[in-house]
Amino acid sequence: MVEDLGVEAKEAAVREVAKLLPLPELLLSISSIKADYIARQQANDAQLSTMVAEQVEQAEAGLESLSSSEKTIYELRDNFISIDKLCQECQTLIDNHDQIKLLSNARNNLNKTLKDVEGMMSISVEAAAARDSLSDDKEIVNTYERLTALDGKRRFALAAAGEEVGRLREYFEDVDRTWETFEKTLWGHVSNFYKLSKESPQTLVRALRVVEMQEILDQQLAEEAAEAQGEGVMASVANPRRPGKKSTTTSASSKGLAQQKLKVQGKGYKDKCYEHIRKSVEDRFNRLLMLVFEDLKAALEEARMIGEELGDIYDYVAPCFPPRYEIFQLMVNLYTERFIHMLRLLSDRANDLTNIEILKVTGWVVEYQENLIALGVDDSLAQVCSESGSMDPLMNAYVERMQATTKKWYMNILEADKVQPPKKTEEGKLYTPAAVDLFRILGEQVQIVRDNSTDVMLYRIALAIIQVMIDFQAAERKRVAEPASDIGLEPLCAMINNNLRCYDLAMELSNSTLEALPQNYAEQVNFEDTCKGFLEVAKEAVHQTVCVIFEDPGVQELLVKLYQKEWCEGQVTEYLVATFSDYFTDVKMYVEERSFRRFVEACLEETVVVYVDHLLTQKNYIKEETIERMRLDEEVLMDFFREYISASKVESRLRIMSDLRELASAESLDAFTLVYSNILEHQPDCPAEVVEKLVGLREGIPRKDTKEVVQECREIYENTLVDGNPPKTGFVFPRVKCLAASKGSIWRKLT
């Protein structure tokens, strides 16, 4: 075995040498390697020798300690044996051992009683010392600790006194008085939190530390009470066999529960802290709430100063309180609550405030909201003042006055428009200042509210402006509904231009207002339908402008001659379009191009309606020359109107005249029904009564054939009805007077 180890060691040595000398030329360094090895070996030997010497010294010291300990133990054992022997000898020497034992117990009890009495006698002294320390705010925590210690002594003494509790209470009256003085000082500091946070934050922090310490103590007492209650329950479970004591046990248990509940409640310092803070805030607002009834300007200035205090509360007060109190959020809620009360008081006298004063109030609300947002308060919480409903009477008063003032103004303008001629632009377009002035005033109202009020107020103003525009349109419609001849061509043209201008201005006002409103309010405001109302008024004015032409006495004289001798001789339609041309020249100069085209279309439609109405009411038989003249009328009208609007629009309007001409010239049942079916394709509300009237104006058609044609056309018409009504309404037959006046006709039934 030893030989094997030697061989292994030798081989290992060879491998190590091979690692050190992998190349032949490294053999030259053998001497240096050997010298290095010898130096290391000497160092290791010296280190080992030192360590071995130290271990030997420690072992020798340990052996000496063991020897000394063993000797001491033997000595102690001998001493204990001697003590036992002496004690036994003493017992035999004393004759009255029992009396001596009683005397010893009495002595111990006397010492304990004297000690307790000294403690009781020191209570007044300690209470006085605690009361004296109240004069120094720095000692408030120490004072609290002293009073808490006195409370501990009181609890112990009362628990040990048993039936003598009543006699001991007078010793603690001084403690109670000191507690009252202490708490008065403590809550005085808490109530003065705003001033202390800036002048003496350490005092406020100490007062709050006392509140926290009492909360911890209350929690400890509650836990002890819970444990005591649990032990009582366990005891009753362990001793169930006590029937004779049941009622007494139950009564004692209920009293114990009441005492435990009182202990669990504790002093409630944290709740009292919140209560005093709330009372302090309410007192801070007393002057403001008085100023509301005396001087609005001073009240708003006071409110502004109070609102700015929240910045100091954030910077100075909040750091003094524990984070879990969330004192800044509490103060924001308390301040906002009182400000809402202020706004309600102002709203109660909204009728006594001017619009300027109302805007000052709403302007202050905006400042308060912006102040809260700058302090990191959420937007929804910052807007509680404006969205609480407390400002509703103020906003109602402002909006109602604005609407009344605006209505009075535009009614005066509209009345002035009746007697004053319209003005002209450089291009000759007619207008009155009403449109621009109206929207200038409305725009100013929006801007004033945007700059000085809340989102809610702007929302209310937006709704009010919509109502003003609706009322303005109603007033204009009332004016348009007057006889066209009483109004006149130029005022009507000015009204057309005004309403188109109103539409553009209304859309601009709508866009700027909606951009200023928050999304939740903007979604509730619909300007679009109201803006379109101006286009409807303009459209009605266009129709009234057409009425001016057709109510012209010269035009009336020509229309009376339709389908008469002069008409057949070409002395009506040609003269009529010449009159139209004169009017068109004026209207084209007076109104915008887009309105002029609508005017031309309306005039063309009215011309077609008048021609159809006269065709159905004239009494002369329809002859070949009648049909030819109708064709020539179509050509004259076509040539005239296509100079102003597209030929396709003219053709679509004149098509009914062409179809009625073909219907009037039909020679067979099939021809009548075919033409009538074609008419229903583009004029589905053309009643069969039209066929009946035209057939009745034909010579040479037997009565039987007439009835057959009318009956067939009636069936065709009825088959096209949807739920008893035509699928759509055209521009001609609802306006043909003879059809509307005919009793018992299909048309009257449908309309």
Side-chain angles (χ1 to χ4, degrees), residues 359 362-364 366-367 370 443-454 458 516:
L359 285 177
T362 58
W364 169 82
V366 172
E367 290 180 16
E370 292 174 348
E444 288 174 354
Q445 287 294 329
V446 171
Q447 191 60 44
I448 289 171
V449 173
R450 284 182 64 178
D451 295 340
N452 300 281
S453 194
T454 62
L458 182 58

Side-chain angles (χ1 to χ4, degrees), residues 132-369:
D132 293 339
S133 65
L134 283 175
S135 58
D136 187 356
D137 292 336
K138 296 180 180 179
E139 293 296 318
I140 190 170
V141 175
N142 293 332
T143 303
Y144 169 77
E145 290 175 342
R146 290 175 180 175
L147 290 173
T148 303
L150 287 174
D151 270 353
K153 288 184 178 182
R154 172 163 52 185
R155 285 195 301 272
F156 175 77
L158 294 177
E163 297 179 356
E164 302 297 326
V165 170
R167 296 182 180 181
L168 290 177
R169 291 192 184 278
E170 62 185 49
Y171 287 98
F172 297 102
E173 290 179 357
D174 203 22
V175 177
D176 292 334
R177 287 193 294 270
T178 305
W179 265 116
E180 291 176 3
T181 305
F182 169 78
E183 290 186 346
K184 184 178 180 180
T185 302
L186 174 66
W187 300 131
H189 290 332
V190 172
S191 299
N192 199 27
F193 66 91
Y194 182 75
K195 184 177 180 181
L196 285 179
S197 68
K198 301 174 77 173
E199 297 179 358
S200 180
Q202 301 89 345
T203 301
L204 179 59
V205 170
R206 293 188 192 101
L208 295 172
R209 183 183 172 191
V210 169
V211 174
E212 289 288 282
M213 292 170 69
Q214 183 60 45
E215 287 292 304
I216 295 172
L217 180 60
D218 288 346
Q219 182 63 31
Q220 291 174 351
L221 293 176
E223 292 174 357
E224 292 174 3
E227 291 176 1
Q229 184 178 353
E231 291 173 0
V233 172
M234 292 301 295
S236 64
V237 171
N239 299 278
R241 296 181 181 179
R242 288 200 167 189
K245 298 281 187 177
K246 182 175 182 181
S247 60
T248 305
T249 304
T250 303
S251 176
S253 176
S254 62
K255 291 181 180 178
L257 287 174
Q259 292 175 357
Q260 302 300 337
K261 183 177 181 181
L262 185 62
K263 288 183 179 180
V264 169
Q265 289 177 346
K267 292 190 175 182
Y269 269 17
K270 185 177 180 182
D271 293 338
K272 291 181 180 178
C273 177
Y274 284 139
E275 182 181 343
H276 282 83
I277 290 174
R278 173 181 287 275
K279 184 65 169 59
S280 177
V281 171
E282 291 177 356
D283 293 343
R284 177 68 180 90
F285 275 78
N286 285 340
R287 181 173 181 271
L288 170 62
L289 298 181
M290 291 296 295
L291 285 173
V292 165
F293 298 98
E294 300 171 359
D295 187 344
L296 178 63
K297 182 179 179 181
L300 292 178
E301 188 60 34
E302 178 73 8
R304 190 171 289 108
M305 292 173 57
I306 295 175
E308 291 173 353
E309 289 177 2
L310 286 172
D312 292 336
I313 290 173
Y314 185 88
D315 293 333
Y316 299 104
V317 176
C320 295
F321 281 76
R324 64 189 181 88
Y325 278 55
E326 296 183 344
I327 195 64
F328 178 69
Q329 186 60 54
L330 172 66
M331 299 306 294
V332 169
N333 294 341
L334 292 177
Y335 273 51
T336 301
E337 177 184 307
R338 302 311 295 168
F339 281 135
I340 288 175
H341 182 55
M342 176 197 76
L343 291 174
R344 293 192 189 282
L345 294 177
L346 285 172
S347 294
D348 290 341
R349 49 190 293 260
N351 294 331
D352 299 333
L353 302 181
T354 65
N355 276 7
I356 294 176
E357 289 175 328
I358 292 175
L359 285 177
K360 288 181 179 179
V361 174
T362 58
W364 169 82
V365 174
V366 172
E367 290 180 16
Y368 179 63
Q369 289 180 176

Side-chain angles (χ1 to χ4, degrees), residues 439 466 469-470 473 476-477 499-500 502-508 510 526-540 598:
F439 282 93
I466 289 175
M469 290 193 291
I470 291 173
Q473 292 168 12
E476 288 199 302
R477 283 192 172 94
N499 279 277
L500 293 179
C502 282
Y503 173 77
D504 295 337
L505 294 173
M507 290 302 296
E508 292 177 8
S510 165
N526 180 14
F527 272 100
E528 185 175 357
D529 293 341
T530 307
C531 293
K532 289 180 179 178
F534 289 109
L535 298 180
E536 293 299 321
V537 176
K539 185 177 179 181
E540 294 174 20
R598 294 191 188 98

